[in-house]
C-alpha cells in the first residue's frame, strides 16, 4: 500500500437525500471515467505482492489440516477435517460480509471519518467493496485494488482463527455449537484487529507493537479455549484408558511434520503482505510503521523457525515426546512474529531459541493437571506471551506508529515508541477478549444447541456416528 490517505472523509457513502437517480448518475459517471493511477504497473506489482499473501495463507490452512490429520484419532478424523474446513469458510464469508470495515476503520478515523463510514463502504454490499478500481477517483480512495485484495487476505486469517480454535475443541464440541462460535469469533476478532493490529488503531497508535497480528490471530482463540476446554472435558483415552479407547494414538506423525513444512513454505508470502510500500520506488515500512526491510523481515522469519526447531528437538529427545519437536519451530515463529520488523537476525535467533521452553512449561503445567488442550495453550499462552512481552523489553524506545507522511498531530509518523507497559496491555486485551467471548458463548450455547458431544459418542467415533464411516481398526 503506497498512499498516505487510504480514504477521504465519508468514503463512498451515498449522501443523505440522494435518490436512485443520483446513484445511477454517479455509477454512470464512474463507468465513463478511467483513472489510470488506480491501475498502473506499480499498482499491479503491489497487487501481486498482496495476492501472493493470500496464497501463503491458504498454504497455512493446508498445513494445519495435515497436522490435524496426523494427530487426530482415526475414528474422528473425517469429521474433524470437515468441521475445520466448514469453520474456515464460515469465517471467510463472515469476514467478507462485515469484517474488513472494522480493520480499515482505523485509517478512516485517522482521516476524520468514522468506524461506521468504513463498515458502510466495506461490508458485503458496500460501495468500495463492489467498485472497479479504475472507475474510482484516487481522490475518493487511492489504491483501491490493494485494499480489495486485502479483504481476501484478512478473510483467510478470519477462517484460520476458527481452524485454530477447533484444534482446542475438536472431537468434543457439537458441530452446531462450533459453527455458531465461528460466526461470533470472526466478528469479534475483526473488531480486535482494528484495536490491536496496524499503526493507528486504539492500541497500536498508543504503542502496542505486533507486526504479524499474533494478538488477534493466535491469542484471541486461545482466550476462547481457556473458557471452553474445561467445560468440554477430556477425550476418551487421552489421559486414562476408556473401555472403548485404551489409549489416544496419533495416526501419522509424518503427515503432521509434512503439514509443518507446508506452513513454513506458505508464511513468507504472508510476511511480505505485512509490509507497506512507499515511494521512492518500493520503500518497505512495517504495518506498524516501524523501520524495516524485506530482507531483514524474511531472514528473521527463517531464523525463528530454525532456532525453535533446535531447542524443540532437544526437549523432544529429553522428554521422549514427539510433540515438542513439532512445537519447537512453531514456538520460535510465534514468539518472534510480533517483532520480525524490528529485530535484527541475531536477536531473533536468541529469542526463538528459548521460546520452546515457554511452550514446554505451559504444556507440562496443563498436562499434569489433566487439561486436554495441547496446542493453543503451549504455543499461544506460552510462547506468544513470552514473545510479545520480550519485544517490549528488548526493543523499548523503538519509534513506530502513526502513518507515513504525516508530520504532526496524533497520527504523526513514528510518534510512538515500543514499551513493556503497552505490550502487557495488548496481551491482556487480546486474551481477555477471547475469554469474554468464550464466557458469553458458553452460556448461550448451553441454553440452545448444547455444547458437548457425549462421552459415549466420542468413544464410538464421530465418523461412524455422523457419516457412517468406519476407521481402520489397526490404527
Amino acid at each position: 500500500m503506497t498512499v498516505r490517505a487510504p480514504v477521504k472523509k465519508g468514503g463512498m457513502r451515498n449522501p443523505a437525500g440522494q435518490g436512485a437517480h443520483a446513484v445511477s448518475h454517479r455509477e454512470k459517471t464512474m463507468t465513463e471515467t478511467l483513472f489510470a493511477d488506480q491501475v498502473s504497473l506499480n499498482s499491479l506489482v503491489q497487487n501481486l505482492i498482496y495476492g501472493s499473501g493470500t496464497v501463503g495463507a491458504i498454504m497455512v490452512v493446508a498445513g494445519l489440516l495435515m497436522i490435524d490429520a496426523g494427530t487426530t484419532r482415526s475414528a474422528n478424523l473425517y469429521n474433524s477435517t470437515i468441521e475445520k474446513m466448514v469453520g474456515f469458510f464460515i469465517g471467510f464469508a463472515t469476514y467478507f460480509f462485515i469484517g474488513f470495515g472494522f480493520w480499515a476503520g482505523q485509517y478512516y478515523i485517522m482521516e476524520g471519518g468514522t468506524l461506521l463510514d468504513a463498515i458502510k463502504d466495506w461490508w458485503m454490499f458496500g460501495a468500495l467493496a463492489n467498485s472497479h478500481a479504475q472507475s474510482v477517483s484516487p481522490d475518493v480512495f487511492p489504491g483501491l485494488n490493494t485494499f480489495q485484495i486485502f479483504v481476501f487476505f484478512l478473510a483467510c486469517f478470519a477462517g484460520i482463527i476458527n481452524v485454530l480454535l477447533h484444534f482446542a475443541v475438536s472431537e468434543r464440541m457439537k458441530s452446531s455449537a462450533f459453527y455458531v462460535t465461528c460466526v461470533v469469533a470472526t466478528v469479534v476478532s475483526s473488531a480486535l484487529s482494528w484495536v490491536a493490529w496496524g499503526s493507528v488503531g486504539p492500541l497500536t497508535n498508543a504503542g502496542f507493537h505486533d507486526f504479524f497480528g499474533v494478538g488477534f490471530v493466535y491469542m484471541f482463540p486461545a482466550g476462547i479455549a481457556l473458557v471452553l476446554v474445561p467445560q468440554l472435558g477430556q477425550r476418551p483415552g487421552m489421559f486414562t484408558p476408556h473401555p472403548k479407547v485404551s489409549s489416544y494414538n496419533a495416526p501419522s506423525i509424518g503427515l503432521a511434520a509434512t503439514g509443518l513444512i507446508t506452513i513454513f513454505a506458505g508464511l513468507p508470502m504472508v510476511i511480505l503482505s505485512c509490509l507497506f510500500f512507499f515511494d521512492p520506488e518500493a520503500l518497505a515500512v512495517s504495518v506498524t510503521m516501524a523501520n524495516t526491510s524485506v530482507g531483514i523481515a524474511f531472514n528473521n522469519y527463517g531464523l525463528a523457525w530454525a532456532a525453535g526447531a533446535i531447542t524443540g528437538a532437544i526437549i523432544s529427545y529429553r522428554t521422549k515426546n514427539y510433540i515438542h519437536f513439532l512445537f519447537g519451530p512453531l514456538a520460535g515463529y510465534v514468539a518472534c512474529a510480533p517483532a520480525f520488523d524490528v529485530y535484527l537476525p541475531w536477536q531473533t535467533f536468541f529469542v526463538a531459541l528459548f521460546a520452546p521452553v515457554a511452550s514446554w512449561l505451559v504444556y507440562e503445567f496443563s498436562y499434569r493437571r489433566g487439561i486436554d488442550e495441547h496446542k493453543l495453550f503451549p504455543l499461544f499462552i506460552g510462547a506468544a506471551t513470552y514473545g510479545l512481552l520480550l519485544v517490549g523489553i528488548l526493543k523499548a524506545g523503538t519509534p513506530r506508529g502513526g502513518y507515513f507522511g504525516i508530520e504532526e498531530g496524533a497520527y504523526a509518523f513514528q510518534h510512538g515508541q515500543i514499551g513493556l507497559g503497552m505490550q502487557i496491555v495488548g496481551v491482556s486485551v487480546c486474551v481477555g477478549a477471547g475469554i469474554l467471548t468464550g464466557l458469553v458463548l458458553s452460556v448461550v450455547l448451553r441454553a440452545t444447541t448444547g455444547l458437548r458431544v457425549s462421552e459415549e459418542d466420542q468413544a464410538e467415533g464421530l465418523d461412524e456416528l455422523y457419516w457412517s464411516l468406519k476407521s481402520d481398526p489397526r490404527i
Side-chain angles (χ1 to χ4, degrees), residues 95 103 106 150 153-158 160-162 164 185-186 188-198 204 208 210-222 224 274 388 426-427 429-431 433-434:
Y95 194 85
W103 181 77
Q106 61 187 294
F150 227 63
F153 174 71
L154 289 177
C156 288
F157 278 92
I160 286 172
I161 289 169
N162 291 336
L164 292 172
T186 299
V188 178
S189 67
S190 299
L192 190 59
S193 71
W194 162 59
V195 173
W197 189 62
T204 55
F208 177 57
D210 185 2
F211 170 72
F212 190 82
V214 167
F216 84 94
V217 175
Y218 299 145
M219 303 194 82
F220 170 69
I224 298 177
C274 293
L388 277 165
V427 169
V429 168
C430 292
V431 176

Side-chain angles (χ1 to χ4, degrees), residues 308-334:
I310 290 170
T311 303
I314 293 172
I315 295 174
S316 189
Y317 275 112
R318 295 280 297 184
T319 62
K320 301 185 185 302
N321 188 340
Y322 74 88
I323 199 169
H324 296 297
F325 177 73
L326 298 179
F327 276 168
L330 290 173
Y333 150 70
V334 168

Side-chain angles (χ1 to χ4, degrees), residues 128-396:
L128 291 177
N130 293 281
S131 295
H132 296 132
Q134 67 271 18
S135 300
V136 177
S137 170
D139 291 333
V140 174
F141 202 102
L144 181 58
N145 263 333
T146 299
F147 266 73
Q148 289 174 338
I149 292 170
F150 227 63
V151 179
F152 192 117
F153 174 71
L154 289 177
C156 288
F157 278 92
I160 286 172
I161 289 169
N162 291 336
V163 173
L164 292 172
L165 176 60
H166 192 264
F167 274 103
V169 301
S170 177
E171 306 174 79
R172 291 165 288 171
M173 190 174 188
K174 287 186 175 181
S175 58
S176 56
F178 174 66
Y179 296 149
V180 171
T181 300
C182 288
V183 175
V184 175
T186 299
V187 175
V188 178
S189 67
S190 299
L192 190 59
S193 71
W194 162 59
V195 173
W197 189 62
S199 63
V200 292
L203 284 184
T204 55
N205 196 52
F208 177 57
H209 190 89
D210 185 2
F211 170 72
F212 190 82
V214 167
F216 84 94
V217 175
Y218 299 145
M219 303 194 82
F220 170 69
I224 298 177
L226 283 171
V227 176
L228 296 183
V229 167
Q231 298 182 52
L232 293 171
Q234 300 175 358
R235 285 167 288 185
M238 178 58 69
F239 292 94
T240 57
H242 184 277
K244 294 183 178 180
V245 186
S246 58
S247 63
Y248 190 100
N249 300 316
S252 178
I253 304 306
L255 182 59
T258 303
L260 191 70
I261 291 298
T262 302
I263 294 173
F264 181 58
L267 279 172
M269 293 178 279
V270 177
I271 299 299
L272 192 61
S273 296
C274 293
L275 301 171
F276 285 5
F277 297 92
F278 300 93
D279 291 330
E281 296 297 334
L283 172 65
V285 178
S286 166
V287 67
T288 67
M289 294 295 131
N291 293 331
T292 190
S293 67
V294 174
I296 288 294
F298 265 52
N299 288 344
N300 281 340
Y301 169 75
L303 280 172
W305 277 70
I310 290 170
T311 303
I314 293 172
I315 295 174
S316 189
Y317 275 112
R318 295 280 297 184
T319 62
K320 301 185 185 302
N321 188 340
Y322 74 88
I323 199 169
H324 296 297
F325 177 73
L326 298 179
F327 276 168
L330 290 173
Y333 150 70
V334 168
C336 294
F340 283 154
D341 54 343
V342 295
Y343 278 157
L344 298 176
W346 69 267
Q347 293 172 319
T348 295
F349 182 82
F350 285 106
V351 171
L353 201 62
F354 293 97
V357 176
S359 66
W360 169 69
L361 289 173
V362 174
Y363 177 90
E364 286 296 311
F365 177 87
S366 60
Y367 190 86
R368 289 169 187 263
R369 286 158 180 77
I371 300 172
D372 190 2
E373 206 303 297
H374 313 309
K375 298 180 178 72
L376 271 63
F377 293 171
L379 289 174
F380 305 152
I381 301 299
T385 301
Y386 156 82
L388 277 165
L389 297 183
L390 200 58
V391 67
I393 298 172
L394 298 180
K395 304 305 290 187

Side-chain angles (χ1 to χ4, degrees), residues 424-437:
I424 294 173
V425 171
V427 169
S428 301
V429 168
C430 292
V431 176
I435 291 173
L436 181 60
T437 302

